[in-house]
PDB file of all heavy atoms in Angstrom:
ATOM      1  N   ARG A 164     122.913  45.086  20.172  1.00 95.00           N
ATOM      2  CA  ARG A 164     123.318  45.598  21.494  1.00 95.00           C
ATOM      3  C   ARG A 164     124.830  45.590  21.501  1.00 95.00           C
ATOM      4  O   ARG A 164     125.440  44.607  21.882  1.00 95.00           O
ATOM      5  CB  ARG A 164     122.731  44.724  22.602  1.00 95.00           C
ATOM      6  CG  ARG A 164     122.732  45.323  23.959  1.00 95.00           C
ATOM      7  CD  ARG A 164     124.073  45.170  24.676  1.00 95.00           C
ATOM      8  NE  ARG A 164     124.405  43.817  25.008  1.00 95.00           N
ATOM      9  CZ  ARG A 164     125.614  43.265  24.765  1.00 95.00           C
ATOM     10  NH1 ARG A 164     126.572  43.937  24.155  1.00 95.00           N
ATOM     11  NH2 ARG A 164     125.865  42.024  25.109  1.00 95.00           N
ATOM     12  N   ASN A 257     119.018  41.157  23.851  1.00 88.00           N
ATOM     13  CA  ASN A 257     118.633  39.932  24.566  1.00 88.00           C
ATOM     14  C   ASN A 257     117.298  39.352  24.125  1.00 88.00           C
ATOM     15  O   ASN A 257     117.021  38.186  24.401  1.00 88.00           O
ATOM     16  CB  ASN A 257     118.794  40.063  26.078  1.00 88.00           C
ATOM     17  CG  ASN A 257     117.886  41.101  26.672  1.00 88.00           C
ATOM     18  OD1 ASN A 257     116.769  41.265  26.199  1.00 88.00           O
ATOM     19  ND2 ASN A 257     118.354  41.786  27.704  1.00 88.00           N
ATOM     20  N   THR A 281     130.737  35.099  28.928  1.00 97.00           N
ATOM     21  CA  THR A 281     130.696  35.931  30.115  1.00 97.00           C
ATOM     22  C   THR A 281     130.429  35.068  31.345  1.00 97.00           C
ATOM     23  O   THR A 281     131.001  35.297  32.423  1.00 97.00           O
ATOM     24  CB  THR A 281     129.593  37.006  30.000  1.00 97.00           C
ATOM     25  OG1 THR A 281     129.746  37.659  28.754  1.00 97.00           O
ATOM     26  CG2 THR A 281     129.715  38.036  31.112  1.00 97.00           C
ATOM     27  N   ALA A 310     119.932  41.936  34.382  1.00 97.00           N
ATOM     28  CA  ALA A 310     119.428  40.579  34.210  1.00 97.00           C
ATOM     29  C   ALA A 310     119.351  40.299  32.727  1.00 97.00           C
ATOM     30  O   ALA A 310     118.340  39.828  32.198  1.00 97.00           O
ATOM     31  CB  ALA A 310     118.073  40.414  34.886  1.00 97.00           C
ATOM     32  N   GLY A 311     120.437  40.655  32.043  1.00 94.00           N
ATOM     33  CA  GLY A 311     120.509  40.417  30.600  1.00 94.00           C
ATOM     34  C   GLY A 311     121.460  39.265  30.317  1.00 94.00           C
ATOM     35  O   GLY A 311     121.664  38.390  31.172  1.00 94.00           O
ATOM     36  N   GLU A 312     122.033  39.324  29.133  1.00 93.00           N
ATOM     37  CA  GLU A 312     122.870  38.201  28.692  1.00 93.00           C
ATOM     38  C   GLU A 312     124.029  37.950  29.655  1.00 93.00           C
ATOM     39  O   GLU A 312     124.313  36.824  30.044  1.00 93.00           O
ATOM     40  CB  GLU A 312     123.395  38.491  27.285  1.00 93.00           C
ATOM     41  CG  GLU A 312     122.267  38.499  26.272  1.00 93.00           C
ATOM     42  CD  GLU A 312     122.638  39.267  25.004  1.00 93.00           C
ATOM     43  OE1 GLU A 312     123.625  38.892  24.368  1.00 93.00           O
ATOM     44  OE2 GLU A 312     121.935  40.233  24.682  1.00 93.00           O
ATOM     45  N   ALA A 313     124.734  39.022  30.040  1.00 96.00           N
ATOM     46  CA  ALA A 313     125.919  38.843  30.863  1.00 96.00           C
ATOM     47  C   ALA A 313     125.564  38.302  32.243  1.00 96.00           C
ATOM     48  O   ALA A 313     126.096  37.273  32.671  1.00 96.00           O
ATOM     49  CB  ALA A 313     126.652  40.184  30.984  1.00 96.00           C
ATOM     50  N   ASP A 343     116.757  44.100  37.489  1.00 97.00           N
ATOM     51  CA  ASP A 343     116.841  44.650  36.123  1.00 97.00           C
ATOM     52  C   ASP A 343     116.320  46.078  36.137  1.00 97.00           C
ATOM     53  O   ASP A 343     116.120  46.667  37.213  1.00 97.00           O
ATOM     54  CB  ASP A 343     116.134  43.751  35.107  1.00 97.00           C
ATOM     55  CG  ASP A 343     114.631  43.707  35.275  1.00 97.00           C
ATOM     56  OD1 ASP A 343     114.089  44.530  36.066  1.00 97.00           O
ATOM     57  OD2 ASP A 343     113.991  42.869  34.632  1.00 97.00           O
ATOM     58  N   SER A 344     116.083  46.641  34.957  1.00 95.00           N
ATOM     59  CA  SER A 344     115.705  48.061  34.905  1.00 95.00           C
ATOM     60  C   SER A 344     114.363  48.314  35.589  1.00 95.00           C
ATOM     61  O   SER A 344     114.033  49.446  35.926  1.00 95.00           O
ATOM     62  CB  SER A 344     115.657  48.537  33.454  1.00 95.00           C
ATOM     63  OG  SER A 344     114.752  47.729  32.743  1.00 95.00           O
ATOM     64  N   LEU A 414     131.208  45.141  35.379  1.00 96.00           N
ATOM     65  CA  LEU A 414     131.598  44.515  34.112  1.00 96.00           C
ATOM     66  C   LEU A 414     131.198  45.290  32.862  1.00 96.00           C
ATOM     67  O   LEU A 414     131.637  44.964  31.758  1.00 96.00           O
ATOM     68  CB  LEU A 414     130.999  43.109  34.030  1.00 96.00           C
ATOM     69  CG  LEU A 414     131.490  42.125  35.110  1.00 96.00           C
ATOM     70  CD1 LEU A 414     130.819  40.762  34.925  1.00 96.00           C
ATOM     71  CD2 LEU A 414     133.012  41.963  35.061  1.00 96.00           C
ATOM     72  N   ASN A 416     130.801  47.654  29.714  1.00 88.00           N
ATOM     73  CA  ASN A 416     131.718  48.285  28.764  1.00 88.00           C
ATOM     74  C   ASN A 416     130.957  49.305  27.939  1.00 88.00           C
ATOM     75  O   ASN A 416     129.744  49.166  27.755  1.00 88.00           O
ATOM     76  CB  ASN A 416     132.283  47.228  27.795  1.00 88.00           C
ATOM     77  CG  ASN A 416     133.174  46.231  28.502  1.00 88.00           C
ATOM     78  OD1 ASN A 416     133.980  46.580  29.336  1.00 88.00           O
ATOM     79  ND2 ASN A 416     133.003  44.968  28.155  1.00 88.00           N
ATOM     80  N   GLY A 459     138.142  41.883  33.909  1.00 93.00           N
ATOM     81  CA  GLY A 459     137.299  40.693  33.821  1.00 93.00           C
ATOM     82  C   GLY A 459     136.602  40.717  32.480  1.00 93.00           C
ATOM     83  O   GLY A 459     135.494  41.220  32.351  1.00 93.00           O
ATOM     84  N   ASN A 461     135.699  38.766  28.632  1.00 93.00           N
ATOM     85  CA  ASN A 461     135.531  37.474  27.955  1.00 93.00           C
ATOM     86  C   ASN A 461     136.758  37.037  27.187  1.00 93.00           C
ATOM     87  O   ASN A 461     136.847  35.878  26.804  1.00 93.00           O
ATOM     88  CB  ASN A 461     134.394  37.582  26.937  1.00 93.00           C
ATOM     89  CG  ASN A 461     133.091  37.841  27.587  1.00 93.00           C
ATOM     90  OD1 ASN A 461     133.059  38.262  28.726  1.00 93.00           O
ATOM     91  ND2 ASN A 461     132.016  37.585  26.879  1.00 93.00           N
TER      92      ASN A 461
HETATM   93  P1  LIG B   1     121.608  43.231  28.086  1.00 77.67           P
HETATM   94  O1  LIG B   1     120.981  44.328  27.318  1.00 77.67           O
HETATM   95  O2  LIG B   1     121.293  41.821  27.712  1.00 77.67           O
HETATM   96  O3  LIG B   1     121.224  43.405  29.641  1.00 77.67           O
HETATM   97  C1  LIG B   1     121.246  44.598  30.353  1.00 77.67           C
HETATM   98  C2  LIG B   1     120.446  44.388  31.614  1.00 77.67           C
HETATM   99  O4  LIG B   1     120.591  45.528  32.466  1.00 77.67           O
HETATM  100  C3  LIG B   1     118.946  44.241  31.382  1.00 77.67           C
HETATM  101  O5  LIG B   1     118.462  43.192  32.180  1.00 77.67           O
HETATM  102  C4  LIG B   1     118.362  45.577  31.866  1.00 77.67           C
HETATM  103  O6  LIG B   1     117.049  45.456  32.333  1.00 77.67           O
HETATM  104  C5  LIG B   1     119.320  45.871  32.997  1.00 77.67           C
HETATM  105  N1  LIG B   1     119.337  47.262  33.440  1.00 77.67           N
HETATM  106  C6  LIG B   1     119.318  48.390  32.689  1.00 77.67           C
HETATM  107  N2  LIG B   1     119.347  49.473  33.482  1.00 77.67           N
HETATM  108  C7  LIG B   1     119.391  49.030  34.754  1.00 77.67           C
HETATM  109  C8  LIG B   1     119.458  49.645  36.018  1.00 77.67           C
HETATM  110  N3  LIG B   1     119.490  50.976  36.140  1.00 77.67           N
HETATM  111  N4  LIG B   1     119.495  48.858  37.107  1.00 77.67           N
HETATM  112  C9  LIG B   1     119.489  47.523  37.025  1.00 77.67           C
HETATM  113  N5  LIG B   1     119.440  46.879  35.840  1.00 77.67           N
HETATM  114  C10 LIG B   1     119.386  47.620  34.732  1.00 77.67           C
HETATM  115  O7  LIG B   1     123.130  43.481  28.058  1.00 77.67           O
HETATM  116  P2  LIG B   1     124.300  42.441  28.422  1.00 77.67           P
HETATM  117  O8  LIG B   1     124.682  41.647  27.249  1.00 77.67           O
HETATM  118  O9  LIG B   1     123.927  41.715  29.649  1.00 77.67           O
HETATM  119  O10 LIG B   1     125.500  43.466  28.692  1.00 77.67           O
HETATM  120  C11 LIG B   1     125.402  44.414  29.717  1.00 77.67           C
HETATM  121  C12 LIG B   1     126.728  45.114  29.858  1.00 77.67           C
HETATM  122  O11 LIG B   1     127.730  44.191  30.235  1.00 77.67           O
HETATM  123  C13 LIG B   1     127.254  45.805  28.609  1.00 77.67           C
HETATM  124  O12 LIG B   1     127.850  47.024  28.956  1.00 77.67           O
HETATM  125  C14 LIG B   1     128.310  44.868  28.090  1.00 77.67           C
HETATM  126  O13 LIG B   1     129.332  45.540  27.384  1.00 77.67           O
HETATM  127  C15 LIG B   1     128.837  44.305  29.391  1.00 77.67           C
HETATM  128  N6  LIG B   1     129.468  42.993  29.203  1.00 77.67           N
HETATM  129  C16 LIG B   1     130.748  42.861  29.645  1.00 77.67           C
HETATM  130  C17 LIG B   1     131.379  41.656  29.482  1.00 77.67           C
HETATM  131  C18 LIG B   1     132.771  41.485  29.958  1.00 77.67           C
HETATM  132  O14 LIG B   1     133.474  40.627  29.501  1.00 77.67           O
HETATM  133  N7  LIG B   1     133.210  42.268  30.892  1.00 77.67           N
HETATM  134  C19 LIG B   1     130.727  40.600  28.868  1.00 77.67           C
HETATM  135  C20 LIG B   1     129.413  40.764  28.424  1.00 77.67           C
HETATM  136  C21 LIG B   1     128.788  41.988  28.602  1.00 77.67           C
END
Side-chain angles (χ1 to χ4, degrees):
R164 196 277 293 133
N257 64 35
T281 310
E312 293 159 59
D343 68 11
S344 57
L414 297 180
N416 294 317
N461 296 18

